[in-house]
Amino acid sequence: MRRAGDLQVIIGTTADEMGAFYGGPHLVFSRIRRLPFGARIASGFQQLVGRKAFEDGTAEFADLLAAHAADVYRYRVHELHPSNPFGPCHCLELPLLFGDDNAWRDAAMVRPLSRADIRALGSETRCRWGTFAHTGDPGWPRYLPGSSTIHPIP
């Protein structure tokens, strides 16, 4: 890779990428959760797959870009509401960034939040990403190779 000093990159994951795939009413994992220690086994598998499929590659790519002088800003999306069964699942940043109130009204990953709640939670995210689009800096610390600097959303 050549020097990447002219690049500004926002890259991130959610805290539980596989939550919507394995955490909800999944046929196999629902049965496993009913076994003694089944919830821990299912959760462990879910976290392992999420780490291998999303987190590890994201970290490696961020490290590579940052090592070659790119301005890298990492984020991690956390739970929006404690009673949502999917938790901080894959694509959870999308309602915080895109679409209008109607675009997400039936999305299971944001229940039981109201349209106003989603709008309010996304306000800072949209502002920071808009600032990034204009300036190349979202207003949180830059990521350095091997760093644990990851901006929490929300």
Side-chain angles (χ1 to χ4, degrees):
M1 174 183 264
R2 296 179 185 207
R3 304 240 349 125
D6 58 342
L7 293 177
Q8 294 88 31
V9 178
I10 289 181
I11 187 170
T13 59
T14 65
D16 187 4
E17 288 284 351
M18 301 308 291
F21 302 105
Y22 299 136
H26 186 278
L27 180 64
V28 173
F29 288 96
S30 293
R31 288 182 180 163
I32 290 173
R33 281 187 201 92
R34 285 183 246 146
L35 299 172
F37 303 105
R40 290 170 71 185
I41 292 167
S43 177
F45 181 78
Q46 183 174 318
Q47 292 299 317
L48 174 69
V49 171
R51 191 177 79 243
K52 291 297 182 185
F54 295 96
E55 184 64 34
D56 290 354
T58 298
E60 288 171 18
F61 189 52
D63 283 347
L64 181 65
L65 288 170
H68 287 86
D71 292 332
V72 178
Y73 299 91
R74 283 192 65 190
Y75 68 88
R76 181 169 293 123
V77 179
H78 295 276
E79 180 176 77
L80 299 184
H81 194 281
S83 68
N84 184 287
F86 300 110
C89 64
H90 184 68
C91 292
L92 190 58
E93 64 271 38
L94 297 180
L96 302 177
L97 291 169
F98 304 114
D100 58 20
D101 290 345
N102 289 323
W104 303 102
R105 73 172 180 260
D106 294 324
M109 67 185 182
V110 296
R111 287 187 188 134
L113 298 172
S114 69
R115 294 175 188 177
D117 292 335
I118 296 166
R119 193 177 327 114
L121 284 169
S123 178
E124 182 180 348
T125 302
R126 287 187 302 279
C127 180
R128 287 183 180 264
W129 284 40
T131 299
F132 174 79
H134 289 286
T135 69
D137 182 346
W140 68 70
R142 211 175 83 197
Y143 178 81
L144 300 174
S147 171
S148 61
T149 302
I150 302 174
H151 180 72
I153 297 175

